[in-house]
Amino acid sequence: MKVTKFLLGSVFIIFAAGFLSIVTGLFAMGDPLGSERPIIWTIWYVVVLLIVIMALYDFSSLSKGQLKRIALIGTVVGIVFFSSVKGYYVYTAGLRIEERGVSLRDYQPFKPKSDLAELDKPSTFEIGTKIPRLDGATALYPMYAAFVEAVYPEADYNPDSPEVSSVVSTTTGTAYERLVEGETDIIFVAGPSDQQLAVAERQGVEFQMTPIGREAFVFFVHEDNPVDSLELEQIQNIYAGDITSWDEVGGKKDSIRAFQRPEDSGSQTALQRLMGDKKLMDAPVEDVPEGMGGIIEQTASYQNHKNAIGFSFRFYATEMVDEHAIKLLRVDDVAPTVETIGDGTYPITSEFYAVTTTDKYEQYKPFIEWLTSEEGQSLVEKTGYVPLATN
């Protein structure tokens, strides 16, 4: 009985001390586990259960020295456990290619050491004091921020503050919503989804879309994946759920984890259009906390595991996120390059747009026409996109 008490006491104190060290680590590091909070709650429930069990036992048989050793062991176990979990999720988070995975401040106009493209000489077109409010996709922000620096009056255009700044980037879905609601004037985005068009129609809003450049829709895998090229039909069948293993397309025998993006994002809309008449399978999801301890499902973020496949637009995947050991796939044996986008040989290319509403188009027509001029198109090209007419 004495041995049993000692063992049960040891288990209880180890779990309790370990749990306390984990909680301390969470507060000290700003809740770094994020959506992995269920792990912490699991430990908590175990501790509560052990407390109930151990309440029936007398710990007087344990000496102070034994208690100290057990507490020390528990603390070390907790720290090691926390560090291991933290390290694992830092690693996997580093493999994510997320829409907000870049610092837009690196491209903010009129800032020293900005990464923006510049004209060789001052622009022949300038905007006065009545400037259009701009918004758009993260991937296109470096381009339209370059437009701003070329023709707008110098000011502080904070890309992350739509409440106070006239030039921001809130992502494609939100930009369309803000345009419909009259909260912005021109947005730089891929074409709207059917749902975005339906919302606009219900609000009595009609989009005026001006093409200003071209871009490739790309798919990527882990650099160690032996598959280098997929046929367009194979991609459709993967995302329809008809092809489920890499050995069906020339790779190793391993299941395919085909990640998607949130609904109404520019790249998800591109995927939906790519599917044609094929039904897109359900996206992988993950549980995430939402206020007051609730759990919701959201589209799982791309993680570059050996069996993963993801998608984006070429410029974003190659220029705006850090290298995460991915490789872009050829499609129909054609690589996505500036040249193949320009000559149309890469099979998945599309135009991106400056979008305003029909009632505001005339007001902003001079600026929109400048975007398609030689100066505007040179900034498209210098940013890294493909202009409407390649040289």
Side-chain angles (χ1 to χ4, degrees), residues 19 23 38-51:
F19 175 73
V23 170
I39 294 174
I40 303 302
W41 293 121
T42 300
I43 296 173
W44 170 247
Y45 290 130
V46 171
V47 171
V48 171
L49 179 61
L50 286 172
I51 289 174

Side-chain angles (χ1 to χ4, degrees), residues 148-312:
V148 169
E149 190 169 84
V151 303
Y152 272 45
E154 184 170 352
D156 182 16
Y157 300 105
N158 186 337
D160 301 314
S161 301
E163 302 84 3
V164 296
S165 177
S166 56
V167 180
V168 298
S169 174
T170 64
T171 74
T172 298
T174 305
Y176 269 110
E177 292 173 6
R178 297 184 72 232
L179 183 64
V180 170
E181 295 297 326
E183 297 172 0
T184 191
D185 301 313
I186 303 172
I187 62 175
F188 295 85
V189 286
S193 66
D194 292 340
Q195 181 174 322
Q196 287 160 340
L197 287 171
V199 170
E201 184 176 359
R202 287 197 298 270
Q203 296 288 335
V205 173
E206 186 177 350
F207 295 137
Q208 183 75 35
M209 301 171 57
T210 304
I212 58 171
R214 307 187 71 208
E215 177 60 316
F217 187 49
V218 299
F219 291 83
F220 41 76
V221 296
H222 192 280
E223 65 180 3
D224 292 337
N225 191 322
V227 175
D228 295 316
S229 179
L230 289 173
E231 296 175 4
L232 186 56
E233 186 176 0
Q234 289 175 326
I235 293 173
Q236 292 172 326
N237 287 333
I238 286 173
Y239 277 92
D242 297 331
I243 294 177
T244 59
S245 179
W246 283 109
D247 63 344
E248 298 178 62
V249 290
K252 296 179 180 178
K253 189 173 181 59
D254 195 2
S255 61
I256 298 176
R257 188 86 188 274
F259 285 89
Q260 298 185 36
R261 299 301 312 282
E263 193 71 22
D264 285 338
S265 66
S267 52
Q268 184 69 12
T269 298
L271 177 68
Q272 292 165 344
R273 288 178 176 159
L274 177 69
M275 294 299 292
D277 295 331
K278 287 185 176 289
K279 179 177 172 54
L280 181 64
M281 68 178 177
D282 292 336
V285 297
E286 59 188 355
D287 292 335
V288 296
E290 182 189 41
M292 302 302 291
I295 297 293
I296 62 170
E297 282 189 347
Q298 75 173 27
T299 304
S301 299
Y302 173 81
Q303 292 185 0
N304 192 23
H305 297 304
K306 297 294 180 66
N307 66 336
I309 182 171
F311 56 84
S312 185

Side-chain angles (χ1 to χ4, degrees), residues 313-389:
F313 292 102
R314 178 196 58 89
F315 179 81
Y316 184 82
T318 59
E319 301 293 335
M320 292 187 70
V321 297
D322 293 331
E323 172 59 41
H324 294 307
I326 64 172
K327 66 176 177 182
L328 303 190
L329 294 174
R330 300 192 303 273
V331 178
D332 292 344
D333 210 31
V334 179
T337 66
V338 170
E339 292 73 26
T340 60
I341 299 169
D343 63 23
T345 54
Y346 182 74
I348 321 175
T349 60
S350 60
E351 295 175 328
F352 50 86
Y353 303 89
V355 183
T356 187
T357 54
T358 53
D359 60 317
K360 291 183 178 180
Y361 177 72
E362 288 299 324
Q363 180 180 353
Y364 301 119
K365 184 177 179 181
F367 176 50
I368 292 174
E369 288 184 338
W370 178 82
L371 301 177
T372 61
S373 71
E374 183 178 348
E375 290 179 343
Q377 290 294 289
S378 74
L379 288 178
V380 171
E381 185 172 19
K382 287 182 176 182
T383 298
Y385 286 102
V386 179
L388 293 175

Side-chain angles (χ1 to χ4, degrees), residues 122-136:
S123 172
T124 57
F125 173 80
E126 290 184 358
I127 291 181
T129 55
K130 191 172 179 58
I131 61 174
R133 297 167 297 173
L134 307 183
D135 197 351

